[in-house]
Amino acid sequence: MSRRLVVAATVTALSLTVVPAYAASQGATPAHGTPAATPTRFTATPSATKQGTKPSAPTSSAPTTPKPTTPPPPPAPYTPPKDSGDAVAATAARITTSSHFAVKADPAGKQAMDATWPDAGTLFTAAELSQILPGVTAVQARDCAGSPVTGGRASAHSTRCTLVLSMKGEPHDNQSRLMVSIRGFGVPATVGQAWAKSAVQQRERSADRPGLYTFYRNGSLGATAAYTDGTTTRVLLQGSGVAGEIWFSGIGFAHVRPSYLASRQDYRQRIVPALVQLLGAKMQPAA
């Protein structure tokens, strides 16, 4: 065999024993019958595919500005049934309010949004009540509780409270109290439907209890509608796209006039309309 043939054979044998670069870097030896791994090759892309050809301009990736959308109009307000012939056009003295509440409602009616509801414990302040009852010096909220709302959770604020009034001339063990109940706020049509149903029932009851009920004319006293049975007063309030009910009951109020009968009459004829008007003044349209 010639020397040139020997050299060629040696080179061929050596090339068959070279390990691929990827497998060598991992320190792994391929199993018998398994092909050895080969490194991945990456090819750089030239700026132009052919000599003399200009590269294409890059595509802009700047985000597009969305078109502004007009918010949907608020739900239409609720219109209560027409006044009956015995509806009273009551008036009351104006009261300087200590605070206001601007309630919001979900237009779809799926969320309670009760975080914007007023808190029953602070609904009436001593500064406000003293304008109706000059003897009031303090208001203490007791026995406050929340109510279940949408989603099985409790309301964010107290919806029921007993407001105990410290009032000059009343014995400490027989203080007058206001039982406050925030019945709920929401879309006007839904709240109005419940209001109308309850009002019909109360109308029927008033026929059997003449002289106890007073139905105020719609829109009077700053409320959409309101009526009282002499003890419990129901008030329907509305703002922009929202409506709600607040109830209050007066217990005691037996010493605001010289006699018990005169005191209770004063509560029904003067104090209740003033409290209704106070609620109407504290309710503001939602922002």
Side-chain angles (χ1 to χ4, degrees):
M1 179 182 300
S2 66
R3 183 176 180 180
R4 184 174 297 176
L5 293 175
V6 171
V7 172
T10 302
V11 173
T12 302
L14 289 174
S15 64
L16 293 174
T17 61
V18 175
V19 179
Y22 176 80
S25 66
Q26 298 296 318
T29 303
H32 180 73
T34 302
T38 56
T40 303
R41 296 183 180 273
F42 296 92
T43 304
T45 303
S47 58
T49 56
K50 293 182 181 180
Q51 187 175 4
T53 304
K54 295 182 179 180
S56 58
T59 304
S60 175
S61 59
T64 57
T65 303
K67 295 182 179 180
T69 57
T70 303
Y78 165 73
T79 302
K82 292 183 178 181
D83 292 319
S84 58
D86 59 348
V88 176
T91 58
R94 295 287 179 181
I95 300 171
T96 301
T97 58
S98 301
S99 61
H100 299 85
F101 49 87
V103 183
K104 297 181 180 179
D106 175 18
K110 297 180 180 180
Q111 298 183 37
M113 300 184 73
D114 63 298
T116 65
W117 297 359
D119 192 299
T122 59
L123 188 63
F124 298 125
T125 67
E128 292 167 342
L129 295 180
S130 64
Q131 298 174 61
I132 306 171
L133 300 161
V136 172
T137 58
V139 177
Q140 184 178 11
R142 297 179 183 173
D143 303 324
C144 295
S147 299
V149 294
T150 305
R153 55 186 176 82
S155 56
H157 300 148
S158 296
T159 56
R160 292 167 290 156
C161 276
T162 299
L163 304 183
V164 181
L165 311 185
S166 295
M167 189 159 45
K168 295 177 182 179
E170 283 195 339
H172 184 72
D173 58 351
N174 191 25
Q175 294 174 286
S176 296
R177 303 179 299 281
L178 286 172
M179 317 290 287
V180 177
S181 177
I182 312 294
R183 307 299 294 183
F185 285 82
V187 177
T190 303
V191 174
Q193 183 178 9
W195 172 270
K197 181 178 179 180
S198 177
V200 170
Q201 297 172 347
Q202 295 301 316
R203 273 286 181 187
E204 294 174 351
R205 293 187 62 185
S206 68
D208 299 329
R209 296 168 174 82
L212 292 180
Y213 278 79
T214 301
F215 294 87
Y216 303 106
R217 285 188 182 177
N218 297 334
S220 65
L221 300 171
T224 300
Y227 60 90
T228 181
D229 61 6
T231 300
T232 300
T233 304
R234 297 164 170 84
V235 185
L236 176 64
L237 302 170
Q238 290 197 78
S240 176
V242 62
E245 288 188 49
I246 297 180
W247 297 7
F248 63 86
S249 301
I251 309 299
F253 297 93
H255 298 84
V256 294
R257 289 291 181 265
S259 68
Y260 174 80
L261 292 178
S263 295
R264 290 304 302 178
Q265 184 179 27
D266 186 62
Y267 173 79
R268 292 192 301 268
Q269 296 180 354
R270 185 183 65 86
I271 297 175
V272 168
L275 292 176
V276 173
Q277 183 160 283
L278 176 58
L279 288 176
K282 292 170 75 74
M283 176 75 175
Q284 286 187 337

